[in-house]
Structure formats: structure tokens, C-alpha cells
Amino acid sequence: MPEALLLGIDLGAGSLKATAIDASGRVHATASAPVETLTPHPGFSEQAPEGWWHALVASVGALLREGVRPDSIAAISVTAGAHTHVLEDAEGRVLRPAIMWNDQRSGAQVAALREAAGPRILELSGNRVSATWTLPQLVWVRENEPALFARIRRIRPAKDWLRRRLDGSDATDLTDAWGLMLADAGSGGWSAELCALAGLDPAALPPIVASHTTTGRVTATAAAETGLAAGTPVVCGTSDTNAETFCGGMTRPGMGALKLATAATVSTLTAQPAFSEDVIHYPHLVPGHCYAILGTNSCASAHRWLRDSLFASLGFDGMDEAARGVPAGSDGLVFHPYLNGERSPYWDPDLRAAYVGLGFAHGPGHFVRALYEGVAYSLRDCLDVLEARGMGFATARLVGGGTRSLLWQQIIADVTGLVIELPRQADASFGAALLAGIGVGAFADTEAAAAVVSVEAIREPNRANRRGHEEGVAIYRAAKDALTPVNHRIVAATRGAT
């Protein structure tokens, strides 16, 4: 018999990745396929769910061609970004492209909800309403697409829609339920009051189960499309950041995690969440714990934008090499990564990106290093909020695709002052594979699964760069404040033109 493997599938903003591991945590194979994001209007961010399924079929097919045998897969689990949701009609047909977590169209709806029921939403959901969440996005759909809204009979978080294509199940986990901003954080069930704010019948929402619950088995139809073995157990899954922070080693209070992916986040584990206007909370895979998280909307997405716009001939490696010759502080060039508005600590969908301080002395490498530093400054903004709440930490695990740049790793350490530890494996597909193992008993519990996590490198802050970066943070914030009314004017003019 072939060695038993665990298959983790993660739907990211730009691609879907599949990873097969064994119970020791050794990776046997990985494969990925691109996913297209649609931006029909400024601030919009949407994806076609059927494209997710095509990417899953392509990724799984590539794994099987690499030698992973279908009958060797003991279990499968799926993760995806929180807040992204699929709307279905009574026949299960997708009604519209899925509105993404980084979509900023619902600013007016956020303002109205905050005015009418902001404190009550925070009390019930545990989080401040902003354009990231599904609740205001649903209000936008109700107000702008009323005929379509009237046909909604089911709402599924992205990973649950994908998993249903595998096993036919109807369920979600508590983390993604919170991500919809329609769940009662106190009771653990759906909130009729929050659903009423959206104009939604709670019956449109799936049952909530534990993330490690086996929800079903690969159907004959899914097996025929993917090449997987019919009957393979499928485990519910969770959000991508929940899986990443867990497999990165954030498994005890006082440990932090920094994520460099499409967005960038700062997280820490807490046994006693203190709900507030400025810190987001979700249930964590570690039983009895939540993770507190803050984030900036654009990280790897900003890096990719810069490559595609100015450095297509160099590629990421060439950009990194160009930035190595630039001193800390980028000779006064500052970058705001607000390409699609901003979350913490500003909660402003109408901020926009900018390079500030540009002069004749600046060359290509300055643009790259300033972008690295700008994202690091945005993470510092988030970290300062946690520290002000008594939730700071001295050591953090670094996860996400941005971790491939050694220079960016060091800049993150220098700007934050944190000791940065790099796990050997720390992407959401690996975390999903661990969750699959918990679900079918390959790991006795989350503690046993976490035991396979190891650190392969450490980045200590370079104190010589600290003073320059402190000044950089101050300039970054002052420029943001000065440019905010200009950004708002630009966005208003752009909206008026469309």
C-alpha cells in the first residue's frame, strides 16, 4: 500500500495551491494554478467561482501527474480567504461573481451601518464593521442589485463552496462564520439581528461545524473531474490566515505571526479576546483561543503591481537585487501601499497609494526598497495598535509568499524591532493538510499536528537601521495624514466620472 498522504487545498487571491504531505510533515508534492480577479469598476474586486473549481482541477491533476496516487490520499481539507462569499439561488446556481475580501465598494453602506448600529454590530459580531466584511457587501448588493438579492437562497464562504463541489456537503466553520459578520460571537450561532441588518433570512446560511469535522467524501462526479478517489474523506477547513498562523507555529499566547501575502497581516493568539473598534478577532484552530489580527490591504499584490508596471523585464529576483544597493530609508523615498484603500489602523477605503519624496537621485532600486519599507511601515502601524492594547510580542513567525525575499525579511525585522522566525513550511495549503490529518485522526489533536512545525531561519533586527526607520515611520504617517483629503477628493472625482 502507498504511504498515506494528506491533501491541503488553499484558494488564494491570485492562485489555488494544492500540497500533499505525510504525517511527519514532509511535503511530497505541490502544484498551483492561477485565479483571475475581475475589477469592473474602481475599488471592485471579484472572482468567478467556477474559475476556482477549474484551478482546483488543474492543481490536483498536476499533483497526480507528479506521482501522488489517488488511493494514497487519506483526507482532504480546503482553506480560502475569509469574507469572500458565493451567492446561490434556489437551484444552487451562482448568482454573480464572488465579492472578495479586499473589495472596497461598500464604503457608503459601512458609514450607514456604523451610524445606525455600529456599537451593536461590534457587540454581536465581535468586530468593527468595515468594507472588508460580508455584511456591508450584502447591503450593497441589496441596494444596487435588488432583483438579484431577492433570489438569494444560500450564502457560502469561498472554501465551503469549493468543498461542496468535492463532497456535496453544506457546512462552514466558526472562523468563516465570523468572517461573514452574520454570526453571534457569544452564542456561536447565526445572529437573526445581524441577518436582519443585511435583509437576509438566516435560513440562507449553512450549518456551523468544527474546522476539523469530516463533512463528507469525494463524490463520484468530483472524482471523475479531478482524478481523486471517490470516497476520500473531506474535512471542513477554515480561513487561510487561521491555517497559516497555526502551521507557522502561532500556537501559544504571546507568540505573533506576520503574513506577507496578497495582503499583509499581524496576528497574535489570545485566550481572552477583548473586542474593540481597532482590533479584529476570529476563532483559532487552537481550542479555546482566538487570534487578534490587523492588516494592510496590499502587500504581495503591491509587489506584483510594481513588477508588472515598471519591472517586467527584471522579474522579482531582479527587483530584489536592485533594491539591495539602496540604504535603509530609501534616501527619503516613501511608499504608501494603499492601492485598494486601507484597513488598520485607518479603516479608510478611499486612501490611495503614493510615492512621496521622489527626486533625481532615486533609481529603480529605490522604488523597490521603498515598497518593501512601505509595507513594513504599514505592519508597524498594525503592531503599534496591538501593543497599545497590551497584546504586543517580541518574537513572530513570518508566513506567506513574501517570505521568499531575504531583503524583505530583514526590513520587516528592522522596522518592527521583532525577532523574526521563519518556519520550514508555512502556507495555508500546508495548514489545510494538517487540518485534514486532525480530522481523520492522523494527528491526535492540534498539539500533535503543531509538533511537526519547525523553524529553519531567524532574522534579528539590525539596530543600526533602527533610527533611520523610526524617522521613516514618522514621515510615512505625516505624509498619509497630509494626503488623506487629496485622496478622498481623487476617489470622489473618479466615482463621479464612472
Side-chain angles (χ1 to χ4, degrees):
M1 292 291 293
E3 182 176 14
L5 300 178
L6 305 165
L7 177 59
I9 296 170
D10 173 58
L11 171 64
S15 64
L16 181 144
K17 183 177 181 181
T19 297
I21 71 171
D22 61 31
S24 72
R26 182 168 68 92
V27 174
H28 285 242
T30 66
S32 64
V35 175
E36 181 184 13
T37 297
L38 310 172
T39 54
H41 302 287
F44 283 35
S45 182
E46 303 179 341
Q47 291 184 350
E50 198 63 32
W52 303 341
W53 179 248
H54 293 323
L56 184 150
V57 170
S59 297
V60 170
L63 280 187
L64 300 182
R65 289 191 295 274
E66 286 187 34
V68 173
R69 291 177 50 177
D71 60 348
S72 72
I73 298 173
I76 304 166
S77 190
V78 184
T79 61
H83 316 293
T84 301
H85 58 280
V86 180
L87 306 179
E88 295 180 347
D89 66 11
E91 284 71 47
R93 292 179 297 230
V94 175
L95 289 170
R96 68 175 328 282
I99 298 176
M100 299 285 288
W101 55 267
N102 56 353
D103 188 282
Q104 298 295 299
R105 77 184 70 188
S106 59
Q109 289 72 32
V110 168
L113 286 167
R114 287 183 60 78
E115 176 69 22
R120 183 59 174 162
I121 294 171
L122 175 63
E123 179 185 1
L124 285 169
S125 73
N127 289 297
R128 166 200 178 113
V129 63
S130 73
T132 294
W133 302 88
T134 300
L135 170 57
Q137 294 169 356
L138 286 172
V139 176
W140 184 94
V141 174
R142 186 184 72 201
E143 293 176 356
N144 291 273
E145 300 173 351
L148 183 150
F149 187 88
R151 295 168 58 200
I152 296 172
R153 294 296 180 271
R154 207 49 156 188
I155 298 178
R156 302 187 195 282
K159 69 102 169 43
D160 301 306
W161 185 88
L162 262 180
R163 194 195 61 252
R164 181 174 174 81
R165 291 290 294 264
L166 285 172
D167 69 358
S169 63
D170 184 28
T172 192
D173 74 313
L174 194 58
T175 302
D176 268 336
W178 282 31
L180 296 180
M181 196 167 263
L182 298 172
D184 187 322
S187 72
W190 298 113
S191 167
E193 189 172 342
L194 291 173
C195 289
L197 288 174
L200 183 75
D201 185 342
L205 297 163
I208 300 172
V209 302
S211 301
H212 62 267
T213 299
T214 299
T215 55
R217 296 177 179 274
V218 173
T219 65
T221 299
E225 292 187 57
T226 63
L228 295 167
T232 304
V234 181
V235 172
C236 180
T238 188
S239 74
D240 56 357
T241 301
N242 197 9
E244 282 167 325
T245 57
F246 174 74
C247 74
M250 194 183 80
T251 55
R252 58 175 175 78
M255 172 64 75
L258 306 184
K259 175 182 175 181
L260 304 184
T262 298
T265 60
V266 178
S267 305
T268 190
L269 199 66
T270 175
Q272 297 180 326
F275 299 147
S276 69
E277 283 278 331
D278 52 4
V279 179
I280 300 169
H281 290 83
Y282 299 95
H284 197 256
L285 288 175
V286 176
H289 290 70
C290 284
Y291 61 101
I293 180 172
L294 296 169
T296 179
N297 275 343
S298 302
C299 176
S301 53
H303 193 203
R304 185 169 55 251
W305 162 82
L306 185 64
R307 180 203 63 184
D308 294 346
S309 300
L310 298 178
F311 298 107
S313 62
L314 286 181
F316 289 131
D317 290 342
M319 291 168 64
D320 212 51
E321 186 61 32
R324 288 186 181 281
V326 177
S330 300
D331 290 322
L333 186 62
V334 175
F335 176 69
H336 293 135
Y338 313 141
L339 286 153
N340 198 29
E342 186 55 306
R343 284 185 286 175
S344 177
Y346 307 117
W347 306 108
D348 188 343
D350 293 343
L351 289 182
R352 288 298 178 264
Y355 276 102
V356 179
L358 185 63
F360 283 121
H362 296 124
H366 289 85
F367 282 87
V368 179
R369 180 165 184 124
L371 184 142
Y372 289 167
E373 291 178 341
V375 172
Y377 294 158
S378 69
L379 288 173
R380 171 70 178 274
D381 274 344
C382 297
L383 185 62
D384 285 355
V385 172
L386 288 178
E387 289 179 342
R389 287 277 175 183
M391 303 170 74
F393 42 86
T395 301
R397 300 289 172 88
L398 191 64
V399 302
T403 60
R404 289 190 294 271
S405 168
L406 299 181
L407 176 60
W408 208 350
Q409 294 171 14
Q410 190 60 52
I411 289 172
I412 296 294
D414 294 347
V415 169
T416 63
L418 298 172
V419 175
I420 300 295
E421 297 180 344
L422 288 105
R424 191 170 303 279
Q425 298 288 341
D427 68 61
S429 63
F430 184 87
L434 293 181
L435 191 52
I438 297 169
V440 296
F443 304 111
D445 50 27
T446 54
E447 185 175 353
V452 307
V453 175
S454 61
V455 171
E456 66 176 358
I458 297 175
R459 302 282 177 259
E460 299 274 356
N462 183 339
R463 302 301 174 185
N465 292 332
R466 184 70 172 172
R467 178 173 295 181
H469 282 311
E470 287 300 307
E471 178 66 5
V473 169
I475 293 170
Y476 172 92
R477 291 171 176 170
K480 175 267 164 191
D481 290 341
L483 288 171
T484 293
V486 178
N487 283 325
H488 288 179
R489 184 175 178 180
I490 290 170
V491 170
T494 303
R495 287 179 180 148
T498 57

Tab-separated table of all heavy atoms in Angstrom, residues 315-337:
chain	number	residue	atom	x	y	z
A	315	GLY	N	11.781	41.027	-13.358
A	315	GLY	CA	11.178	39.981	-12.536
A	315	GLY	C	11.467	40.232	-11.061
A	315	GLY	O	12.213	41.152	-10.690
A	316	PHE	N	10.886	39.403	-10.194
A	316	PHE	CA	11.026	39.605	-8.758
A	316	PHE	C	12.474	39.502	-8.295
A	316	PHE	O	12.934	40.293	-7.475
A	316	PHE	CB	10.159	38.601	-7.992
A	316	PHE	CG	8.679	38.866	-8.099
A	316	PHE	CD1	7.804	37.851	-8.428
A	316	PHE	CD2	8.160	40.130	-7.867
A	316	PHE	CE1	6.437	38.082	-8.520
A	316	PHE	CE2	6.799	40.389	-7.959
A	316	PHE	CZ	5.944	39.356	-8.289
A	317	ASP	N	13.223	38.544	-8.809
A	317	ASP	CA	14.611	38.380	-8.376
A	317	ASP	C	15.449	39.595	-8.766
A	317	ASP	O	16.278	40.077	-7.983
A	317	ASP	CB	15.218	37.103	-8.975
A	317	ASP	CG	14.619	35.835	-8.383
A	317	ASP	OD1	14.006	35.929	-7.299
A	317	ASP	OD2	14.757	34.761	-9.002
A	318	GLY	N	15.239	40.094	-9.970
A	318	GLY	CA	15.976	41.269	-10.405
A	318	GLY	C	15.614	42.503	-9.599
A	318	GLY	O	16.492	43.340	-9.297
A	319	MET	N	14.355	42.633	-9.241
A	319	MET	CA	13.929	43.749	-8.391
A	319	MET	C	14.613	43.681	-7.041
A	319	MET	O	15.105	44.686	-6.517
A	319	MET	CB	12.407	43.713	-8.218
A	319	MET	CG	11.618	44.034	-9.472
A	319	MET	SD	9.852	43.634	-9.291
A	319	MET	CE	9.364	44.769	-7.976
A	320	ASP	N	14.656	42.489	-6.476
A	320	ASP	CA	15.278	42.305	-5.168
A	320	ASP	C	16.757	42.686	-5.227
A	320	ASP	O	17.280	43.353	-4.329
A	320	ASP	CB	15.116	40.841	-4.734
A	320	ASP	CG	14.998	40.684	-3.229
A	320	ASP	OD1	14.160	41.392	-2.637
A	320	ASP	OD2	15.742	39.880	-2.667
A	321	GLU	N	17.423	42.269	-6.278
A	321	GLU	CA	18.843	42.575	-6.429
A	321	GLU	C	19.069	44.078	-6.564
A	321	GLU	O	20.011	44.633	-5.981
A	321	GLU	CB	19.405	41.846	-7.652
A	321	GLU	CG	20.900	41.977	-7.812
A	321	GLU	CD	21.675	41.406	-6.635
A	321	GLU	OE1	21.208	40.425	-6.025
A	321	GLU	OE2	22.751	41.968	-6.309
A	322	ALA	N	18.198	44.761	-7.323
A	322	ALA	CA	18.321	46.210	-7.481
A	322	ALA	C	18.150	46.942	-6.159
A	322	ALA	O	18.823	47.950	-5.894
A	322	ALA	CB	17.291	46.713	-8.501
A	323	ALA	N	17.260	46.432	-5.299
A	323	ALA	CA	16.988	47.097	-4.024
A	323	ALA	C	18.108	46.900	-3.014
A	323	ALA	O	18.221	47.683	-2.052
A	323	ALA	CB	15.672	46.574	-3.449
A	324	ARG	N	18.948	45.888	-3.200
A	324	ARG	CA	19.991	45.594	-2.215
A	324	ARG	C	21.024	46.716	-2.101
A	324	ARG	O	21.636	46.886	-1.046
A	324	ARG	CB	20.688	44.281	-2.568
A	324	ARG	CG	19.843	43.066	-2.330
A	324	ARG	CD	20.595	41.766	-2.536
A	324	ARG	NE	19.714	40.645	-2.308
A	324	ARG	CZ	19.371	40.186	-1.099
A	324	ARG	NH1	19.878	40.762	-0.035
A	324	ARG	NH2	18.548	39.170	-0.981
A	325	GLY	N	21.212	47.487	-3.166
A	325	GLY	CA	22.198	48.557	-3.124
A	325	GLY	C	21.671	49.859	-2.553
A	325	GLY	O	22.407	50.845	-2.488
A	326	VAL	N	20.422	49.875	-2.124
A	326	VAL	CA	19.796	51.097	-1.604
A	326	VAL	C	19.840	51.081	-0.085
A	326	VAL	O	19.509	50.068	0.533
A	326	VAL	CB	18.339	51.203	-2.103
A	326	VAL	CG1	17.649	52.423	-1.517
A	326	VAL	CG2	18.302	51.243	-3.623
A	327	PRO	N	20.244	52.186	0.553
A	327	PRO	CA	20.331	52.184	2.019
A	327	PRO	C	18.967	52.184	2.691
A	327	PRO	O	17.947	52.525	2.080
A	327	PRO	CB	21.085	53.478	2.317
A	327	PRO	CG	20.782	54.370	1.162
A	327	PRO	CD	20.684	53.463	-0.031
A	328	ALA	N	18.955	51.806	3.966
A	328	ALA	CA	17.730	51.871	4.761
A	328	ALA	C	17.174	53.289	4.721
A	328	ALA	O	17.900	54.272	4.840
A	328	ALA	CB	18.018	51.456	6.197
A	329	GLY	N	15.865	53.381	4.530
A	329	GLY	CA	15.231	54.684	4.394
A	329	GLY	C	15.073	55.126	2.956
A	329	GLY	O	14.419	56.138	2.671
A	330	SER	N	15.644	54.364	2.011
A	330	SER	CA	15.485	54.607	0.571
A	330	SER	C	15.813	56.043	0.169
A	330	SER	O	15.202	56.612	-0.737
A	330	SER	CB	14.052	54.250	0.123
A	330	SER	OG	13.775	52.895	0.377
A	331	ASP	N	16.793	56.633	0.868
A	331	ASP	CA	17.206	58.011	0.554
A	331	ASP	C	16.017	58.959	0.505
A	331	ASP	O	15.923	59.844	-0.356
A	331	ASP	CB	17.970	58.057	-0.778
A	331	ASP	CG	19.345	57.409	-0.681
A	331	ASP	OD1	20.010	57.566	0.372
A	331	ASP	OD2	19.748	56.736	-1.645
A	332	GLY	N	15.095	58.760	1.455
A	332	GLY	CA	13.972	59.677	1.603
A	332	GLY	C	12.745	59.364	0.777
A	332	GLY	O	11.738	60.085	0.869
A	333	LEU	N	12.767	58.309	-0.020
A	333	LEU	CA	11.588	57.937	-0.807
A	333	LEU	C	10.659	57.079	0.048
A	333	LEU	O	11.089	56.076	0.637
A	333	LEU	CB	11.996	57.182	-2.068
A	333	LEU	CG	10.876	56.861	-3.061
A	333	LEU	CD1	10.249	58.144	-3.607
A	333	LEU	CD2	11.392	55.990	-4.199
A	334	VAL	N	9.404	57.467	0.123
A	334	VAL	CA	8.419	56.788	0.975
A	334	VAL	C	7.273	56.290	0.105
A	334	VAL	O	6.807	57.008	-0.800
A	334	VAL	CB	7.881	57.732	2.065
A	334	VAL	CG1	6.765	57.060	2.863
A	334	VAL	CG2	9.012	58.170	2.990
A	335	PHE	N	6.811	55.074	0.384
A	335	PHE	CA	5.706	54.483	-0.367
A	335	PHE	C	4.555	54.151	0.562
A	335	PHE	O	4.729	53.523	1.612
A	335	PHE	CB	6.159	53.194	-1.063
A	335	PHE	CG	5.059	52.467	-1.788
A	335	PHE	CD1	4.491	52.992	-2.936
A	335	PHE	CD2	4.582	51.240	-1.321
A	335	PHE	CE1	3.477	52.316	-3.621
A	335	PHE	CE2	3.574	50.563	-1.984
A	335	PHE	CZ	3.018	51.105	-3.133
A	336	HIS	N	3.347	54.585	0.187
A	336	HIS	CA	2.117	54.175	0.872
A	336	HIS	C	1.468	53.055	0.058
A	336	HIS	O	1.132	53.274	-1.111
A	336	HIS	CB	1.130	55.340	0.981
A	336	HIS	CG	1.587	56.438	1.878
A	336	HIS	ND1	1.504	57.769	1.547
A	336	HIS	CD2	2.162	56.404	3.104
A	336	HIS	CE1	1.970	58.506	2.526
A	336	HIS	NE2	2.389	57.694	3.486
A	337	PRO	N	1.255	51.871	0.634
A	337	PRO	CA	0.742	50.731	-0.146
A	337	PRO	C	-0.779	50.679	-0.247
A	337	PRO	O	-1.362	49.600	-0.235
A	337	PRO	CB	1.293	49.533	0.638
A	337	PRO	CG	1.280	50.006	2.052
A	337	PRO	CD	1.618	51.476	2.002
